Amino acid sequence: MILGIILGFGAALFQSFAYLGSRFYSEKKGGTPVQLLLTAHLLMGIIALIILVVYPKDNFPPMQQYLIPAAGTTIAFMLAQFCLMTALSMAVASRISPLLGLKLLFVVIITSVFFSEHYTVIQVLAVLLALAAAIVLNYSGGAMPLRVLFLGLGASFLLAVSDIFIQQTVVPFRGFGPLMGGLLPLSVSYVMAGAASLVLYPFICSFTLRPIKLALPYTIAWSIGIFLFFAAVGEIKVMYTVILQSTRGILNVVLGAAIGLMGYHMLEERHSWNVIFRRILAAGMMTGAVALFGFGGSL
């Protein structure tokens, strides 16, 4: 349990760094969000393929146990990343990241409709608190453009779908320990993502060194973050991993405020303490909502 909590917090931290890496790529004119998505996943796909080739196949679970959910999480995740990166190209990370806490709402809806899950009154109140946090966030430093808001919501929904598939993907690997139990199912998924990126790459990107170099900060941070997320799901299941992951909203606000105050306005605008406080309040409400949801159920 403690290991799962550490992994979940680690995932939140490195995913927060990844969002800043996405903003860095956009501001340095490395390319469009789609080009960053393809470049990063091509690089991660190559690494994932090496891991699967090198790892002994003796105890590998049967392919039919993990192939379909791995494909599901890959497709949903790449679509979510496209929405997220497009939003990050139009708004700073500290405004977008807390919105991703709303994926808990979509997890609730999906599991209620398709998996017959039931939720308590406290959990319903937690969802309402998350919605209130999104409203506060929308008006922290000016209203968020509708296009950005819908992209953030779309990313949240698709990430919820991806997370549910991740839960099904890691199950066959639970006997492999926290390291390989996270790394192997992640590698299966990212080989698929890398293959899709390779097919599309020549039509959308150019094989030049500069975009690849600019994509490295995002690629490295996201690789570590998503590995920790897979490992955490294997240890404490998807719902509690999402609860821990929600702290990235606060992390992004704090990181964004620090970066803005340090003068790196290409990554984060500098705002008054009033705006920063409202963003921290919104992120805290979002994090509190998902924590309340977890404690409102059976632990």
Side-chain angles (χ1 to χ4, degrees):
M1 184 68 173
I2 295 177
L3 177 60
I5 292 172
I6 295 172
L7 292 169
F9 278 126
L13 177 62
F14 279 96
Q15 287 179 354
S16 296
F17 287 132
Y19 297 147
L20 294 177
S22 173
R23 185 75 177 178
F24 172 81
Y25 180 89
S26 175
E27 292 295 331
K28 285 290 187 178
K29 310 300 181 186
T32 65
V34 175
Q35 289 171 329
L36 174 57
L37 181 68
L38 294 179
T39 302
H41 284 80
L42 180 60
L43 294 173
M44 289 186 280
I46 293 172
I47 297 172
L49 180 61
I50 293 172
I51 292 171
L52 291 181
V53 169
V54 171
Y55 188 80
K57 304 299 185 298
D58 296 341
N59 297 322
F60 221 76
M63 187 177 293
Q64 62 268 24
Q65 292 184 6
Y66 58 82
L67 194 60
I68 292 178
T73 193
T74 301
I75 294 170
F77 172 75
M78 292 193 72
L79 290 173
Q81 287 299 98
F82 169 71
C83 292
L84 181 59
M85 289 179 184
T86 303
L88 286 169
S89 69
M90 296 184 287
V92 294
S94 61
R95 299 205 69 191
I96 301 299
S97 180
L99 274 178
L100 299 182
L102 287 174
K103 75 175 180 177
L104 177 65
L105 171 63
F106 295 118
V107 170
V108 169
I109 294 172
I110 294 169
T111 54
S112 295
V113 174
F114 296 101
F115 298 95
S116 301
E117 293 283 351
H118 299 285
Y119 299 98
T120 66
V121 174
I122 293 178
Q123 289 173 316
V124 173
L125 291 174
V127 172
L128 294 177
L129 178 59
L131 293 174
I135 295 173
V136 172
L137 178 66
N138 186 50
Y139 292 99
S140 62
M144 189 181 299
L146 281 178
R147 185 182 178 190
V148 177
L149 182 61
F150 284 128
L151 284 168
L153 291 174
S156 295
F157 171 76
L158 290 165
L159 287 173
V161 174
S162 178
D163 289 352
I164 291 171
F165 276 122
I166 287 174
Q167 175 73 73
Q168 298 173 347
T169 305
V170 301
V171 168
F173 296 90
R174 281 201 174 139
F176 288 69
L179 176 61
M180 300 312 297
L183 194 58
L184 291 176
L186 171 66
S187 297
V188 171
S189 177
Y190 272 73
V191 164
M192 297 180 185
S197 299
L198 181 61
V199 171
L200 295 172
Y201 204 89
F203 301 99
I204 300 175
C205 307
S206 59
F207 287 95
T208 56
L209 187 59
R210 185 174 184 273
I212 294 175
K213 288 174 62 177
L214 292 177
L216 282 177
Y218 170 84
T219 303
I220 294 170
W222 188 264
S223 297
I224 297 173
I226 196 64
F227 158 65
L228 294 173
F229 185 85
F230 268 75
V233 170
E235 289 290 312
I236 54 175
K237 299 187 178 180
V238 66
M239 187 62 73
Y240 300 112
T241 303
V242 170
I243 291 170
L244 295 168
Q245 187 193 38
S246 71
T247 59
R248 67 186 171 187
I250 292 178
L251 291 172
N252 258 116
V253 170
V254 173
L255 287 172
I259 289 171
L261 290 172
M262 290 168 61
Y264 295 100
H265 303 305
M266 60 168 284
L267 296 180
E268 183 74 29
E269 303 165 3
R270 184 168 183 173
H271 296 286
S272 67
W273 287 108
N274 183 42
V275 171
I276 293 172
F277 171 76
R278 278 183 284 167
R279 290 191 182 179
I280 292 176
L281 175 63
M285 289 171 64
M286 193 74 75
T287 302
V290 290
L292 182 63
F293 181 92
F295 288 109
S298 56
L299 295 177

